[in-house]
Amino acid sequence: VVVNVASTEPHPAWQECYDDLGALEAALAERPGVLPPSSLHAYAAFKAGHGFVDFTPSFGTRVPALAQLAEQAGVPFAGGDGKTGETLVKTALAPMFAHRALHVRSWYGANILGGGDGATLADYGPRASKIQSKQSSLGKLLGYTPDGTVHIDYVAELGDWKTAWNHISFEGFLGTQMKMQFTWQGCDSTLAAPLVLDLIRLTAAAQQRGDAGPRPELAFFFKDPIGNPADSRLVMQFEALRDWALAGRVAA
Amino acid sequence: VVVNVASTEPHPAWQECYDDLGALEAALAERPGVLPPSSLHAYAAFKAGHGFVDFTPSFGTRVPALAQLAEQAGVPFAGGDGKTGETLVKTALAPMFAHRALHVRSWYGANILGGGDGATLADYGPRASKIQSKQSSLGKLLGYTPDGTVHIDYVAELGDWKTAWNHISFEGFLGTQMKMQFTWQGCDSTLAAPLVLDLIRLTAAAQQRGDAGPRPELAFFFKDPIGNPADSRLVMQFEALRDWALAGRVAA
Amino acid sequence: VVVNVASTEPHPAWQECYDDLGALEAALAERPGVLPPSSLHAYAAFKAGHGFVDFTPSFGTRVPALAQLAEQAGVPFAGGDGKTGETLVKTALAPMFAHRALHVRSWYGANILGGGDGATLADYGPRASKIQSKQSSLGKLLGYTPDGTVHIDYVAELGDWKTAWNHISFEGFLGTQMKMQFTWQGCDSTLAAPLVLDLIRLTAAAQQRGDAGPRPELAFFFKDPIGNPADSRLVMQFEALRDWALAGRVAA
Amino acid sequence: VVVNVASTEPHPAWQECYDDLGALEAALAERPGVLPPSSLHAYAAFKAGHGFVDFTPSFGTRVPALAQLAEQAGVPFAGGDGKTGETLVKTALAPMFAHRALHVRSWYGANILGGGDGATLADYGPRASKIQSKQSSLGKLLGYTPDGTVHIDYVAELGDWKTAWNHISFEGFLGTQMKMQFTWQGCDSTLAAPLVLDLIRLTAAAQQRGDAGPRPELAFFFKDPIGNPADSRLVMQFEALRDWALAGRVAA
């Protein structure tokens, strides 16, 4: 299984050849740069008969032609952007507001970290991919997009210790405005490493039992899951993952 | 439907007659004080054919003899202790640690509030009932009881604005120790009122369709739900509530 | 006394005529736009014999020629940028780290607010003036500039409630790394209004007793005080203010 | 110089002999337990001609008879209760509210820690001494005692990492209610050790230049300083310490 844990890339402009495998391969023959590195690695993995996991918010397998290739080659793939900190908490917490009919007026997040990942995200292009990936889940979880944004800032001395503050302003009965805040102090590599190991094992198992193409059952691990799964709630993602894993075990 | 929203009572010592309706009624005939006020109100409600909701951590219907009476009378009851703030967040957040195999080393909570409720909880007896109710869910959600305790303090000037700080120390891959903190600034009455309204409607609906006795399907609303439901995760409690409510609607 | 409480302007490029009153007046005769609005108002105030207070981080009286004019006209002026929230806390807190020889590794601030002020600061130019003003005090207070930055974001629904999170990473004995965080929930107008009133009274009193030109004794009120006062510590600014105010009272 | 860094003791009931050295020595001859261990150590230090530093909130030198002995013996002493975390922040922060005429409605603190110190403070008696010491500075700094209390709880797994949350509710112009919160994550031994070293050097220097008896100039280091110094503001305590240290250096 090939896993992309490289730094975040900016997303390329959409190209017509992304929609069809034949057209994509013809374009690649002339201009290998038609695909960004993350997608090129996915292409190579599929061609060689290997599953692919995108642990970043990069373009990766977000190309219909690559999904066609994976189905043909009988290999599974999953992604994108490992859910290790702030977004993990969001997918656990946002359902609480939704289920209790507490209207979220704004949800703001500030993230600081150092290290190579922090340095990359200090550039605008990659950060835009990341922020889009971080915010996408909130709309799905709440049914509307609250006010607010997400900031990622590079603070060199923090190294791998990703620190996040989230401020949530919400409204209850009779319009009463209330607040919740959380801070998260997590070691990003330590949070990511076991997810990568699990993803490798689960993707290999999927291939063994013939589950090819995008694997929405692995949404539990991702900020912006491929395959458009219906439910973004963390607990339901866990249940879906367990049901799928157990079903496979029974079949075996 | 009779709803108990009185201030928290200390729990009485257990008495043998609590286990049997006949014995309880015999004891009541001689000593009405054999039951604390919350349980006496539940008894009266059941005798009069009304459902009962305990929105407090008081003793209420935690008497097997009263459950027998409710079943006989064909009336439903639910409780206990409305889940409006810190514990609500816990039941949303703790599954995240459990599902990600992040071991919670300690979970500490400090709660401050004023008002009548705050003043009552400043006394030791009622506070003990409350704290026990607050901590009970964590063990069920995690599968073990982490270090830490819960404090409730009376700060008069805050009035109804219950403010809580929770500090969670957890351990990831290779024993790395990480932290999460949250603060909650909620208006307690505003959070409680719509739950009380929903509970009245749902209990009345349960009675109409013949669902007598303890209603574990209403666990979504409570810190320490009656009827010992298997799953303490907020999202699963919501799913159970919705399934039950919709099943009833279809039947009607 | 004229007070500038307009929204923050971007700073203009420096012009030679700013250094000399004669040159400035010659330039103004031809191009009134040679001064930004805040400075033009200061010029008009001085010409009319009135003191001027700049409650914003705008260019205002940061023009040597205007200081010459104020001295000539015998009018006092003060500024810039009222210190109402995050920076107020910084000037109270940073001396603690300095005096205890706790080395501040990074100091990061995220600010969110709505209202007209928030909307203006969402534009890059004004925000740059503001952020520069906010960070300037930290270097003076610590003797070095720690890692980190300050963010100001517009979150419409918060209105006038400026909310800030600051994360401070510091190092003690034997290199041990520790953290402090604070959050501030302040109503910006409410915090600013009494300062404006005090500044008007104090500036009027200064004029009465003949204290013309820049008034560094009013540094207590500002993020980026005019007149380059030696001590940026809040408590020492208060002592300087009180000494000056009492000296004036005695003289009167 | 003898330094008391033992765990906190409960305070004894006041005894008449504490007011006079002769009476105290007579009582000691009969009942050595008339003084708690911390005070007995101070007595022994003074008798042997050594200065004494009480880094704890214990009774120590809070005995007038011991001050008489120190003056006679020409030895200095200082204390009590090293100011390393929450109270350090309070003495830096509270002047901000006082100087800006922001009325503090309540100030609440929750402290959690493990280790031997945490275990001792879990017992009621020692904790009472500690809490009294922690709260005493707030009244002096503000001129009134706001609502609220301080909690210290033992959370074994945190070890030496003292973690504190403070919630401050304050009132500004026109009665507007605002909030500030801070959290502190400090390694208690690391924060204490350099203070102990400095105190030893400064107490030895005091003795060398003949400054006997209680040393209020060392108030900078303590939660509840001996000698009743007039100013409890951290910055002014630092200025007083520096002035005193420099005066000594000049004299030498």
Side-chain angles (χ1 to χ4, degrees):
Chain A
V1 179
V2 173
V3 183
N4 179 20
V5 287
S7 284
T8 303
E9 297 165 6
H11 280 194
W14 191 262
Q15 312 220 12
E16 220 167 300
C17 64
Y18 290 171
D19 283 320
D20 178 76
L21 181 55
L24 178 65
E25 296 199 317
L28 275 172
E30 286 183 34
R31 295 171 291 135
V34 72
L35 282 181
S38 62
S39 303
L40 218 48
H41 281 84
Y43 177 78
F46 295 162
K47 274 298 202 192
H50 297 301
F52 183 83
V53 172
D54 201 340
F55 206 74
T56 79
S58 297
F59 204 53
T61 56
R62 294 167 199 284
V63 182
L66 290 180
Q68 292 163 28
L69 175 58
E71 303 271 9
Q72 277 181 19
V75 292
F77 66 91
D81 202 7
K83 184 161 71 176
T84 55
E86 186 191 70
T87 310
L88 176 66
V89 179
K90 275 181 176 167
T91 55
L93 213 49
M96 178 186 81
F97 294 103
H99 293 344
R100 278 290 167 93
L102 295 165
H103 180 79
V104 175
R105 295 168 55 93
S106 68
W107 192 311
Y108 175 86
N111 292 262
I112 49 179
L113 82 163
D117 201 21
T120 305
L121 292 170
D123 292 329
Y124 181 72
R127 195 168 56 206
S129 313
K130 187 80 176 191
I131 287 175
Q132 187 188 319
S133 158
K134 271 172 160 301
Q135 285 293 68
S136 69
S137 45
L138 215 48
K140 286 186 205 159
L141 288 160
L142 295 173
Y144 56 89
T145 303
D147 206 350
T149 181
V150 169
H151 260 299
I152 308 177
D153 282 297
Y154 178 60
V155 177
E157 70 91 7
L158 291 177
D160 201 34
W161 282 87
K162 197 179 215 168
T163 302
W165 171 64
N166 272 228
H167 178 273
I168 306 151
S169 167
F170 62 98
E171 196 172 302
F173 200 50
L174 306 176
T176 309
Q177 293 181 28
M178 299 173 270
K179 312 286 178 211
M180 181 177 177
Q181 301 173 50
F182 70 81
T183 59
W184 174 266
Q185 297 167 301
C187 181
D188 229 32
S189 322
T190 290
L191 289 162
L195 304 187
V196 170
L197 297 180
D198 281 354
L199 280 164
I200 292 169
R201 287 186 285 205
L202 289 161
T203 305
Q207 187 162 1
Q208 257 183 330
R209 68 202 219 203
D211 283 349
R215 303 296 358 132
E217 301 90 349
L218 298 172
F220 175 68
F221 296 99
F222 298 112
K223 286 196 191 71
D224 193 9
I226 266 163
N228 206 22
D231 205 320
S232 296
R233 294 175 293 175
L234 184 72
V235 164
M236 299 316 281
Q237 289 175 333
F238 179 77
E239 294 294 304
L241 172 64
R242 196 176 53 184
D243 289 350
W244 176 72
L246 292 176
R249 193 191 295 170
V250 168
Chain B
V1 179
V2 173
V3 183
N4 179 20
V5 288
S7 284
T8 302
E9 298 165 4
H11 280 194
W14 192 263
Q15 312 219 13
E16 221 167 298
C17 64
Y18 290 171
D19 284 319
D20 177 77
L21 181 54
L24 178 65
E25 297 199 314
L28 276 172
E30 285 182 36
R31 296 171 290 136
V34 74
L35 282 181
S38 61
S39 303
L40 218 48
H41 280 84
Y43 177 79
F46 296 162
K47 276 296 200 192
H50 296 303
F52 183 83
V53 172
D54 200 340
F55 206 74
T56 78
S58 296
F59 203 54
T61 56
R62 293 168 200 283
V63 181
L66 290 181
Q68 293 163 28
L69 175 58
E71 303 272 9
Q72 277 181 21
V75 291
F77 65 90
D81 203 6
K83 184 160 72 178
T84 54
E86 186 191 71
T87 310
L88 175 66
V89 180
K90 274 180 177 168
T91 55
L93 212 50
M96 179 186 81
F97 295 102
H99 292 344
R100 278 291 166 94
L102 297 164
H103 180 79
V104 175
R105 294 167 55 92
S106 67
W107 192 312
Y108 175 86
N111 293 262
I112 48 179
L113 82 163
D117 201 21
T120 305
L121 292 170
D123 292 328
Y124 181 72
R127 194 167 58 206
S129 314
K130 187 81 175 190
I131 288 174
Q132 188 188 317
S133 157
K134 272 172 160 297
Q135 285 294 68
S136 69
S137 45
L138 214 49
K140 286 185 203 160
L141 288 160
L142 295 173
Y144 55 90
T145 302
D147 206 352
T149 181
V150 170
H151 259 299
I152 308 176
D153 281 298
Y154 178 60
V155 177
E157 70 92 6
L158 291 176
D160 202 34
W161 282 87
K162 198 178 213 170
T163 302
W165 171 64
N166 273 227
H167 178 274
I168 306 152
S169 167
F170 61 98
E171 195 172 302
F173 201 50
L174 307 176
T176 309
Q177 293 181 28
M178 299 174 271
K179 311 286 179 212
M180 180 176 180
Q181 300 174 50
F182 70 81
T183 59
W184 172 268
Q185 296 167 303
C187 181
D188 227 34
S189 321
T190 291
L191 289 161
L195 304 186
V196 170
L197 296 180
D198 282 355
L199 280 164
I200 291 169
R201 287 186 286 206
L202 288 161
T203 306
Q207 188 162 2
Q208 258 182 331
R209 70 205 220 198
D211 283 350
R215 301 304 347 139
E217 301 89 349
L218 298 172
F220 174 68
F221 297 100
F222 298 110
K223 286 196 190 73
D224 192 11
I226 265 162
N228 206 22
D231 206 320
S232 296
R233 294 175 294 174
L234 185 72
V235 165
M236 299 315 281
Q237 290 174 334
F238 179 76
E239 292 295 303
L241 172 64
R242 197 175 52 184
D243 289 350
W244 176 72
L246 291 176
R249 194 192 293 170
V250 168
Chain C
V1 179
V2 173
V3 184
N4 179 19
V5 287
S7 283
T8 303
E9 298 164 5
H11 279 195
W14 192 263
Q15 311 220 13
E16 221 167 300
C17 64
Y18 290 170
D19 283 319
D20 178 76
L21 182 55
L24 179 65
E25 295 199 315
L28 275 172
E30 285 182 35
R31 294 170 291 135
V34 73
L35 282 181
S38 62
S39 303
L40 218 48
H41 280 85
Y43 176 78
F46 295 162
K47 275 298 201 192
H50 297 302
F52 183 83
V53 173
D54 200 340
F55 206 74
T56 78
S58 296
F59 204 52
T61 56
R62 294 167 199 283
V63 182
L66 290 181
Q68 292 163 30
L69 176 57
E71 302 272 9
Q72 276 181 22
V75 292
F77 65 91
D81 202 6
K83 184 160 71 178
T84 54
E86 186 191 69
T87 310
L88 176 66
V89 179
K90 274 181 178 167
T91 56
L93 213 50
M96 178 187 80
F97 294 102
H99 293 343
R100 278 290 167 94
L102 296 165
H103 180 79
V104 175
R105 295 168 54 93
S106 68
W107 192 312
Y108 175 85
N111 292 262
I112 48 179
L113 82 163
D117 202 20
T120 306
L121 292 170
D123 292 329
Y124 182 72
R127 195 168 57 204
S129 314
K130 186 82 176 189
I131 287 174
Q132 187 187 318
S133 158
K134 271 173 160 296
Q135 285 294 67
S136 69
S137 45
L138 214 49
K140 286 186 204 159
L141 288 160
L142 295 173
Y144 55 89
T145 303
D147 206 351
T149 182
V150 170
H151 260 300
I152 308 176
D153 283 297
Y154 178 60
V155 177
E157 70 92 6
L158 290 176
D160 202 33
W161 283 86
K162 197 179 215 169
T163 302
W165 171 64
N166 272 227
H167 178 273
I168 306 152
S169 167
F170 62 99
E171 195 172 303
F173 200 51
L174 306 176
T176 309
Q177 292 182 29
M178 299 173 270
K179 312 286 179 213
M180 181 176 177
Q181 301 174 50
F182 70 81
T183 59
W184 173 266
Q185 297 167 301
C187 180
D188 229 32
S189 323
T190 290
L191 289 162
L195 304 187
V196 170
L197 297 180
D198 281 355
L199 280 164
I200 292 169
R201 286 186 286 206
L202 288 161
T203 306
Q207 187 161 2
Q208 257 182 332
R209 68 205 221 200
D211 283 349
R215 302 300 352 136
E217 301 89 350
L218 298 172
F220 174 68
F221 296 100
F222 298 112
K223 286 196 191 73
D224 192 10
I226 265 163
N228 206 22
D231 206 320
S232 295
R233 294 174 295 175
L234 184 72
V235 165
M236 299 315 281
Q237 289 174 335
F238 178 76
E239 293 294 303
L241 172 64
R242 196 175 53 183
D243 288 350
W244 175 72
L246 292 176
R249 193 191 296 169
V250 168
Chain D
V1 179
V2 173
V3 184
N4 179 20
V5 288
S7 284
T8 303
E9 297 164 5
H11 279 194
W14 191 263
Q15 312 220 12
E16 221 167 298
C17 64
Y18 290 171
D19 283 319
D20 178 76
L21 181 55
L24 179 65
E25 296 199 315
L28 275 172
E30 284 181 37
R31 295 171 290 135
V34 75
L35 283 181
S38 61
S39 303
L40 218 48
H41 280 83
Y43 176 79
F46 295 163
K47 275 296 201 193
H50 298 300
F52 183 83
V53 173
D54 200 340
F55 206 74
T56 77
S58 296
F59 204 52
T61 56
R62 293 166 200 284
V63 181
L66 290 181
Q68 293 164 27
L69 175 58
E71 303 273 9
Q72 276 181 22
V75 292
F77 64 91
D81 202 6
K83 184 161 72 178
T84 54
E86 185 190 71
T87 310
L88 176 67
V89 179
K90 274 181 177 167
T91 56
L93 212 51
M96 179 186 81
F97 294 102
H99 293 343
R100 278 290 167 95
L102 295 165
H103 181 79
V104 176
R105 295 167 54 93
S106 68
W107 192 312
Y108 175 86
N111 292 260
I112 47 178
L113 82 162
D117 202 21
T120 306
L121 292 170
D123 292 329
Y124 182 72
R127 195 168 59 205
S129 314
K130 186 81 176 190
I131 288 174
Q132 187 188 318
S133 158
K134 271 172 160 298
Q135 284 294 66
S136 69
S137 45
L138 214 50
K140 286 186 204 159
L141 289 160
L142 295 173
Y144 56 89
T145 303
D147 206 351
T149 182
V150 170
H151 259 298
I152 309 176
D153 282 297
Y154 178 60
V155 177
E157 70 91 5
L158 291 175
D160 202 34
W161 283 86
K162 198 178 214 170
T163 302
W165 171 64
N166 272 228
H167 178 274
I168 306 153
S169 167
F170 62 99
E171 194 173 303
F173 201 50
L174 306 177
T176 309
Q177 293 181 28
M178 299 174 271
K179 312 286 178 211
M180 180 177 180
Q181 301 173 50
F182 70 82
T183 59
W184 173 267
Q185 297 167 301
C187 180
D188 227 33
S189 323
T190 291
L191 289 162
L195 304 186
V196 170
L197 297 180
D198 282 354
L199 280 164
I200 291 169
R201 287 185 286 207
L202 288 162
T203 305
Q207 188 163 0
Q208 257 182 331
R209 70 205 219 201
D211 283 350
R215 301 299 357 134
E217 301 89 351
L218 299 172
F220 175 67
F221 297 99
F222 299 111
K223 286 196 191 73
D224 191 10
I226 265 162
N228 207 21
D231 206 320
S232 296
R233 294 175 294 174
L234 185 72
V235 165
M236 299 315 281
Q237 289 175 334
F238 179 76
E239 293 295 303
L241 172 64
R242 197 175 53 184
D243 289 350
W244 175 72
L246 292 175
R249 193 191 295 171
V250 168

